[in-house]
Amino acid sequence: MTRSNEERRDLALATARVQVRAVGDEQAVRGFGGHAAVFNQRTAIGNPLTWGFYEEIAPGAFTKTLSEGDARFLVDHDTRLVVSRVSAGSLRLAQDQTGLAVDADLDTRLTYVNDLVVNLDLRNITGMSFGFRTVKDDWETVAVQTSEGDMEAELRVIREVQLFEVSAVTFPAYEGTDAALRSVGVALAARGDAAAFDRRAAIRPELLDFRLEPDPASTRGSDATQPGETTGGRQARQMELLAARYRLAR
């Protein structure tokens, strides 16, 4: 089950530098090597010029969690499809100059691991991902050059994470999808900046689902639920207010 504050980040195979090594013994154990995360590489989470932001992972972000955690290697984040595990000695995670290096045993006595090997060979599985909770991050405004001139966007630098799992994934690219929306919502809610949240929510109302706490203003005045008003009606009216605030802020 996905934790409410868990985020996921994906890499294509070319970036993850995935390799599947040959069978090593009579038990048909193959090896898997790659990177589930890369350092100092700016990534667009959602649309940075409207409702999303840019993000980088700082070197050393996994130092504490690797010394304390017991991460698993999964297929498509499915906890039923455990490929290997740190405490079992079949998953080895480390930080190198590139990022979070993954070295895992692939025991094909597990039928879904055999399926994973075949799908990796055929390039049906096209990337890696990792599930985490942000412990420390920094936010700053950066200039972005576009065809319409210079614009501003926000950059999130992740300094420390709690790592839950790494995964081989079928769909590593998620810009504009539900996964990207969830990543933006969780990050903004954890940041605790109500004004920044409202600016994004004025463009993508679905982000309201990720509020950690209701807006204090929503419990009084024109934001309060009116007699006989449905939840959907209240949300629509709240979005009109958020959109108006956003237009004024600009």
Side-chain angles (χ1 to χ4, degrees):
M1 184 175 68
T2 302
R3 301 165 180 81
S4 61
N5 61 348
E6 180 180 344
E7 300 181 57
R8 293 171 179 169
R9 293 295 180 270
D10 299 346
L11 294 177
L13 278 178
T15 305
R17 301 180 183 179
V18 167
Q19 293 182 335
V20 179
R21 297 188 294 274
V23 174
D25 56 34
E26 68 282 358
Q27 292 184 339
V29 175
R30 303 183 72 176
F32 177 98
H35 287 84
V38 294
F39 296 141
N40 296 324
Q41 184 175 104
R42 189 167 297 184
T43 302
I45 307 299
N47 186 336
L49 299 181
T50 54
W51 57 276
F53 51 86
Y54 289 107
E55 183 178 85
E56 295 179 7
I57 301 174
F62 300 93
T63 300
K64 190 170 187 291
T65 194
L66 292 184
S67 67
E68 298 175 347
D70 184 17
R72 281 76 160 170
F73 180 17
L74 310 177
V75 180
D76 276 325
H77 302 289
D78 191 334
T79 56
R80 296 168 298 179
L81 304 179
V82 182
V83 176
S84 56
R85 181 175 178 175
V86 170
S87 63
S90 53
L91 175 62
R92 296 159 291 278
L93 300 172
Q95 295 176 109
D96 58 19
Q97 292 183 341
T98 300
L100 178 62
V102 179
D103 182 68
D105 298 335
L106 302 178
D107 193 331
T108 53
R109 291 178 298 172
L110 293 168
T111 56
Y112 59 83
V113 174
N114 190 66
D115 292 342
L116 171 63
V117 171
V118 174
N119 278 320
L120 286 166
D121 286 341
L122 295 177
R123 290 298 191 265
N124 293 330
I125 297 291
T126 55
M128 287 202 73
S129 179
F130 67 102
F132 68 101
R133 181 180 67 85
T134 300
V135 178
K136 295 178 183 177
D137 60 3
D138 295 323
W139 295 78
E140 62 181 279
T141 301
V142 295
V144 181
Q145 292 184 340
T146 73
S147 58
E148 300 178 356
D150 291 344
M151 300 183 69
E152 289 187 344
E154 288 195 270
L155 171 64
R156 180 197 197 194
V157 181
I158 296 178
R159 304 289 182 186
E160 182 184 337
V161 305
Q162 178 185 8
L163 180 68
F164 301 123
E165 47 90 5
V166 297
S167 283
V169 293
T170 307
F171 297 103
Y174 55 70
E175 183 175 355
T177 68
D178 290 343
L181 184 70
R182 184 180 192 284
S183 293
V184 172
V186 170
L188 291 176
R191 181 184 180 187
D193 187 330
F197 198 110
D198 286 353
R199 287 196 298 272
R200 278 28 173 246
I203 298 168
R204 293 299 297 264
E206 306 95 317
L207 288 171
L208 289 172
D209 293 337
F210 298 97
R211 277 193 183 276
L212 295 180
E213 298 178 359
D215 185 347
S218 69
T219 61
R220 60 181 183 273
S222 59
D223 272 353
T225 302
Q226 302 300 314
E229 184 177 38
T230 66
T231 300
R234 178 185 176 282
Q235 186 181 63
R237 186 164 49 80
Q238 186 182 41
M239 284 313 308
E240 291 178 2
L241 291 169
L242 287 175
R245 292 173 192 163
Y246 178 68
R247 287 193 295 271
L248 289 172
R250 297 187 71 185

